[in-house]
Structures are given as structure tokens and as C-alpha cells.
Amino acid sequence: MLEFPYSICDFYTLITEDYFYVDRTNHIRLIEKAGKQLLFLRPRRFGKTLLLSMLENYYDVAKADEFERLFGHLAIGQNPTPKHNQYLVMTWDFSVVSSHGEIEQVHQALHEHLNNAISNFATRYQDLLPYSISINSHNAISSFESALTAIGQSEYRLYLLIDEYDNIRGKCFCGAKTFSSDANEMMMGSQEMSKSRYDTLLSGEGLLKTVFKTVKSASAGRGLDRVFISGISPIVLSDITSGYNVAEDIYLLNEFNELCGFRETEVASVLTQVIKDCDLPPEKANDALTIMHTFYNGYCFSDRTDELIYNPTLTLYFLKFFQRDCQYPRRMLDGNLGMDKEKITYISRLPGGEEVIMNALQEKPPLAVWERANRFGVEDMLYATKDTTFMVSLLYYFGVLTLASKSEIGELVLKIPNLVVRKLYVERIRDMFLPVLADQKESQQAAKTLYQTGDMQPLCKFLERSYFKVFDNRDYSWADELTIKTVFLTVLFNESLYIMDSERELDRGNHKGLPLPADLVMIVRPQMRRYPLKDILIECQYLNLSAAKLTGKKAKQLDIEKLKALPAVQDKLAESKNQLDKYRLVLESKYGNLLRLRTYSVVAVGFDRLVVKSED
């Protein structure tokens, strides 16, 4: 039975304790050819630390005797490069550096981490170095210089691995108020970062900048041969560039698109084994792959490939649960990734950010930029104007948007990668429009009624009374049926019960010639079909008040049957029914007798009334 290494990021442990491992060692040769000082970015929990651990074990001269054990059965072991086990390896992990307290404590925290890393290095390689390394407890730069001197007098060279370079954590004090100062997190705070603390870390001759200047200097014939840096985003890069302007970006290159992450063929292969271990029918592997594709696939980091990859952490979360219980997890989003919602919240609070978040969810018009921003200074994050390119690029680096295609004029089109990330957008928009907890509870109860009985009236009454009034206070010149779809999606989204908004999944089938799918498709998840839940298909239409020849006041007063009988409303209902009838055929062809389908034509008359016509 396979052992899935969820949350284990130590390559040595994975291999020696026989955990499941998707072989990425064939990329080592490509990494060597790419350059000597490299920067590689990927979203949180995307396998970056394991990647660095793989490199450490491959190049470490102290593990030469274990090369066959660690790599003999892997791709690189069949044809290793001459550089394997030829380096002294030092690792700095900035994710563990705290910057709590006063400025002097910020300095000391970084010095202590670097000194600990250098001290461990000295102990590990003491038999290979001509003399001992001197550790200066107050000045890690001095300690590093001492290590370089010792290395320079040896027959070896240094390979420096820097993990999460942009992830120094802590708090910045602005008067009595504090907020997270992780370079990737601090911009989500509601207060400004203190200028002195910013300068201490990054600008001018700040500490981090000095560290990277020293690294650059060390690579000029002073014992440092290679550097590999990982991170989440290019935040901080512009602040340290003048001190360290030699790193080559490889994170957008085609050959490294799948360096972290799983291919669909790899997921399919391991699912076959899990299905066998669970003694389930072989065809269940295809069902499980469909679920995983919908919820976890969809990431693309290079605009020169169409290959989509799976989030590795979410994939291992699912596989470990599935193997243990022989059924899918009820909650498809691993709680460890839930904090990515904060990034969406940050963007939504910027001028124009709310529309970016809405457009991302609606995908019409698509989010498109000419180029992804590749440098974000912390000062820019705090003080500069944030345009669409800035917002979209940041969401891309955080993994809540991904590359989709190119527009007709060559723009990069970005989209939400999959259903678990879509959930984060839905929750943010729901929080924006329904900030009151009582309203959220009422909407949940109305949604529950629809799931169980197919009755949409309680939900429509709630939306008219509570949700639509939000739009009275906003100037949504772009409001149309997509906005109505978003309203329904935010109150009906339930990943535990349904595969939601699954038009892209259905488009993978043989129905390319049919009209575009309905606005909202809710298919009961396989393991939930034992409950009396309805499959739901909703087509939304928007009718502005002038086209209906009504005022808002008149629309609210008009009897629902009279409202439904208006010619303009009837035309919209007929248009909607025509779409639903055609799309019903697609669903029945795909799911057959499993469906308990209810279809709904929904016409919003302004943001005042909802007219619904339903069919079994």
C-alpha cells in the first residue's frame, strides 16, 4: 500500500522511508544548464521546499555514499550529471525567521538564523574544511565571510539554497497597532508599515539587501559556485536588485512548468493503485480522476505550454484521505490553504479591485494583461497606485489565478485554476455583499430548501429583500446576467454537496457543437447521491428596467404573475428555456439515470425583482 507524504518535505525521508514520490529529478540537468544563480517562484504549498531538499541531497558531498540508495531508482540516477555529490551545501530558510519586536530584534532574528545555518554547516563539513569557521553571534555576515574563507581553502565549492526568500515574518509596529510584516502578507494589513522598519529590512543599506550583496560578492571567485532561491512572488526583488542583480528567473520557462506539481497522467496512475487497494471497481478510478481534475487541476505557469498541472498539496490531501477511507473527502479544500483567501480580500479592497475579483469569477470579460509584473518593491506594495496589471499579476503569483490562453491581440489571459480556488472567490464576494452574519444564515437556509425540495422561492425572496439592495449603493455599469449568475453562485456554492459551475469540465466531453452551457450547473457529488438532493441547472437573464418599461418602485409593487406576463419578461423566459432544453441533453447524455435534474429560468428585472420558471 502506498504511503502518501502529506506535509513531508524532506527528500531523504521520502526516499529512505519509501513514501510515494513523483520523480522530478530529470529536471536537475535542466537546472544546471539554466545558470548558476537561479530564482524559482511558485505559490504556497506547491512543493518548493521538497525541490530544494532534492537538490541538497543530490549535490551534498557528504551523501556521496548514499547516492545509489537515494537516486539509483530515479531518472537522474540512471544518467547522473558530473556535479552530483560535488558540493558543500548550505541552506537558509527565511520562513522561520521572526521579526517581532524592536528594530534591533529584527536584526538579531535574521543574524541568529544565518548563524545557526552556518554553524550547522561547519559541524557537518568540519572534516572537509582546512580550519574551523568563526561564528560572530552579533554579525552573521562576518560568520558567512569566515565560512567562505574556509571553503576557499578547500577542494570544494559552495551550493547555497535559499528557501522562501520573500517570507520573513513578524510584526511591524505603527504606534499602538500591528500587522503581519511578511513581505507577502504585510500589504494585507490595514495600517501602513513603519518606514524605519521597511528601511531596516530592505531599502538603502537594509539588512536583507546587505545579505544579498554579500552573496553576490561571494560568487565572484570566493568559494560560492551556485545559488538556488525559491519564493512565492517577486515582492522584495526590486528592493534587493541593486545589491543582487545576478539571479536568472526560471519560473516562467516552459521546461520548468511541471517542476513542482503533478501531471494528470501521474494522478491517474496512482488513483488506479488506490482504487485497487480499496477493492473498488476499476471504473471508479475515472470517476475519482474527474473529481480531482475539477477541484485540483488547472495550473499553468508558462505561456509557451498548454500543459496543466495539479496542486501537489491538495492532491496528496485527497489521495491520503481516499486511501484511508476509500471515499472522497467531504471538504475538498485543505484547510492549510484557506489563508489564500486573504490575498483575494486584499485585492478586493484596492480601488478597482472589487471589479477584478468579480471579473475573475465571471470570466467575462476575461482578465487579460500584456505582461505579468515581475518586480514588486515593498514600497510599491505599500504606497504606489495599484493598476489592473499589478492586481492580476499578484493574484497569479499567489496561485489564485493562472495562465489560460492568449487573446486575439496577444494579451495574457488569466483565469481561476480550479474549483477549490473558485470557492475562495465566492466566499470573498459573499462577505462583500452579505457582511451581516444573520443574512448569511438566512441565505444558507434558503439554499438548503432548494437543494432538498427544488423550491427556489425562499431564495428569490431573500435575494430581493437583502442581497439586491447592496447594488443600490454601487455603480455597476457592467451589471448584466453575469452579475445575476454571480449572486446565485455566492449563495448556492457548496463544495461538500455539489460539483459547482462545471461547464469547463463538461466541455471536455463530446459536446463542442452545442450552445454554451447554462449559467450555473450544480451536479450532486457521487458520494452524496444517497441523499435526496436535486441536480440544479440555472439560466440567468437580466432585463433592465427601461426595457421592461418599469420603474424600480413599480417593479417592486407589481404582482409576480403580472410581472411574469410582461412581453419583455416572456421573451427572456423563452430565450432561457431554449438554452436549458438544449443543455439538458448534454447533462442527460453525460450522467444518464443518475440525474434528479431541476432546471430554472431566472429573469432579474433590474435589481428589484426575480421571475423564476422551473421544470422537473
Side-chain angles (χ1 to χ4, degrees), residues 46 58 100 140 143 265 319 336 386 396 409 441 448 485 506 574 587 611:
F46 230 91
Y58 181 78
H100 290 271
S143 304
T265 53
L319 290 171
N336 288 324
K386 284 77 173 176
Y396 159 79
I409 57 175
K441 288 182 177 180
K448 184 177 178 181
K485 168 190 170 179
L506 291 164
L587 292 174
V611 177

Side-chain angles (χ1 to χ4, degrees), residues 390-406:
F390 170 92
M391 291 186 279
V392 170
S393 298
L394 201 57
L395 292 171
Y396 159 79
Y397 287 114
F398 286 140
V400 291
L401 284 179
T402 196
L403 293 175
S405 61
K406 289 187 178 179

Side-chain angles (χ1 to χ4, degrees), residues 495-507:
E495 60 150 353
S496 297
L497 304 181
Y498 289 97
I499 299 175
M500 305 282 299
D501 199 16
S502 54
E503 55 263 48
R504 281 173 303 215
E505 174 62 28
L506 291 164
D507 282 345

Side-chain angles (χ1 to χ4, degrees), residues 364-380:
K364 297 176 183 178
L367 288 174
V369 296
W370 288 110
E371 296 289 343
R372 286 155 295 194
N374 62 1
R375 290 291 188 273
F376 298 101
V378 173
E379 194 163 17
D380 294 332

